[in-house]
């Protein structure tokens, strides 16, 4: 579009009007990779994510979400996206890892939601204490209660971080409502924490204080890992804080 700005309050008419061209986008382009597309619609993590990021209705969220499968993801150019979300994705091939690493280093935002489809050996190959890898932690094993009768809660570690703002404060009603039944236990390198490019934003309330939300800087971009599956392993999607947190992410 062409934009015109005019000032009509001074007497020097020759410099009162300026024109320039501006690109207009429908919204932030987000690519969501669905690692479990055959899941029944009611338990589809991708469906929850899309509805939170770009809900139907007359009011636009400012996000444009495209959903693809893991197979389709292999051949997609990443250049046109600002955010990429890997949702319970099995593994990342070497070629995609290299492309993702370059894309994040150049300013992209990569988000990973982990779940039962994840191959921890593949993900652990991308963990790098020196900061060059994509993974901010080493995955160990799936923890929690398979019967979904016992749960832990989120414990924010960084009250100043934007994505945790809605969960701030003692006896926060949102925190009390969120139940995490299962999660990936993992270890964040002390060297990475000391170097300052990796931070644990939230842990779980289990005795080991397992990392729940971890952020890592790679080049000029960021990687954010959430170590639980948002549909099958938690009740978070039924709480209003889920939508707010996801939009902040």
């Amino acid at each position: 579009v062409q934009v015109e700005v005019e000032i009509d309050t001074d007497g020097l008419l020759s410099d009162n009007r300026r024109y320039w061209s501006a690109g207009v986008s429908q919204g932030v382009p987000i690519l969501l990779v669905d690692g479990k597309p055959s899941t029944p619609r009611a338990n589809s993590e991708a469906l929850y994510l899309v509805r939170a990021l770009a809900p139907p209705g007359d009011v636009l969220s400012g996000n444009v979400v495209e959903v693809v499968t893991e197979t389709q993801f292999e051949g997609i150019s990443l250049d046109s996206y600002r955010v990429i979300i890997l949702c319970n994705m099995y593994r990342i091939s070497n070629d995609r890892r290299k492309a993702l690493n370059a894309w994040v280093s150049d300013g992209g935002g990569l988000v990973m939601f982990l779940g039962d489809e994840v191959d921890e050996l593949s993900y652990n190959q991308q963990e790098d204490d020196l900061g060059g890898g994509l993974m901010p932690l080493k995955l160990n094993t799936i923890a929690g209660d398979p019967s979904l009768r016992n749960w832990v809660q989120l414990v924010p570690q960084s009250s100043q971080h934007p994505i945790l703002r809605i969960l701030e404060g003692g006896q926060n009603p949102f925190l009390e409502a969120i139940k995490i039944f299962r999660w990936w236990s993992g270890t964040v390198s002390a060297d990475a924490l000391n170097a300052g490019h990796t931070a644990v934003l939230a842990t779980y309330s289990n005795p080991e204080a397992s990392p729940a939300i971890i952020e890592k800087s790679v080049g000029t971009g960021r990687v954010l890992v959430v170590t639980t599956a948002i549909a099958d392993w938690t009740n978070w999607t039924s709480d209003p804080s889920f939508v707010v947190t996801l939009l902040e992410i």
Side-chain angles (χ1 to χ4, degrees), residues 12 25 45 50 66 72 86 92 127 133 148 153 160 171-172 184 215-216 228:
L12 301 176
S25 166
E45 293 180 311
V50 171
E66 178 183 351
Q72 293 169 328
L86 308 183
I92 306 172
E127 193 252 353
L148 308 184
Q153 293 178 307
Q160 303 302 314
Q171 298 182 331
N172 185 297
W184 272 98
E215 184 181 48
K216 179 178 185 177
T228 188

Side-chain angles (χ1 to χ4, degrees), residues 88-245:
N88 201 0
M89 186 170 168
Y90 173 50
R91 62 173 55 171
I92 306 172
S93 69
N94 287 334
D95 288 344
R96 281 286 91 173
R97 176 181 57 79
K98 293 176 183 177
L100 274 173
N101 201 305
W103 176 83
V104 173
S105 297
D106 199 33
L110 176 64
V111 183
M112 304 185 204
F113 288 93
L114 308 182
D116 58 351
E117 294 294 317
V118 164
D119 172 26
E120 68 272 26
L121 296 179
S122 170
Y123 279 72
N124 286 342
Q125 289 176 354
Q126 302 164 67
E127 193 252 353
D128 177 8
D129 290 354
L130 300 179
L134 292 174
M135 281 295 286
L137 79 165
K138 181 179 180 181
L139 301 181
N140 298 327
T141 187
I142 295 175
D145 183 6
S147 70
L148 308 184
R149 287 193 288 265
N150 301 294
W151 64 85
V152 296
Q153 293 178 307
L154 287 174
V155 181
Q157 300 296 307
S158 176
S159 61
Q160 303 302 314
H161 200 284
I163 72 168
L164 298 175
R165 192 173 295 132
I166 194 173
L167 303 177
E168 286 181 356
Q171 298 182 331
N172 185 297
F174 294 118
L175 274 178
E176 294 175 3
I178 300 169
K179 299 177 181 179
I180 312 292
F181 303 101
R182 305 191 77 191
W183 62 93
W184 272 98
S185 65
T187 306
V188 179
S189 160
D191 291 340
L193 293 172
N194 293 333
H197 56 67
T198 298
V200 177
L201 305 184
T203 63
Y204 297 118
S205 61
N206 62 321
E208 297 78 18
S210 299
I213 304 175
I214 311 96
E215 184 181 48
K216 179 178 185 177
S217 297
V218 179
T220 59
R222 295 186 186 183
V223 178
L224 191 82
V225 172
V226 181
T227 59
T228 188
I230 55 174
D232 294 337
W233 290 358
T234 84
N235 72 337
W236 197 4
T237 54
S238 63
D239 190 82
S241 65
F242 171 73
V243 175
V244 176
T245 302

Side-chain angles (χ1 to χ4, degrees), residues 34-44 46 69 117:
D34 187 355
K36 209 171 182 179
S38 60
T39 300
R41 186 173 176 83
N43 294 326
S44 170
T69 65
E117 294 294 317

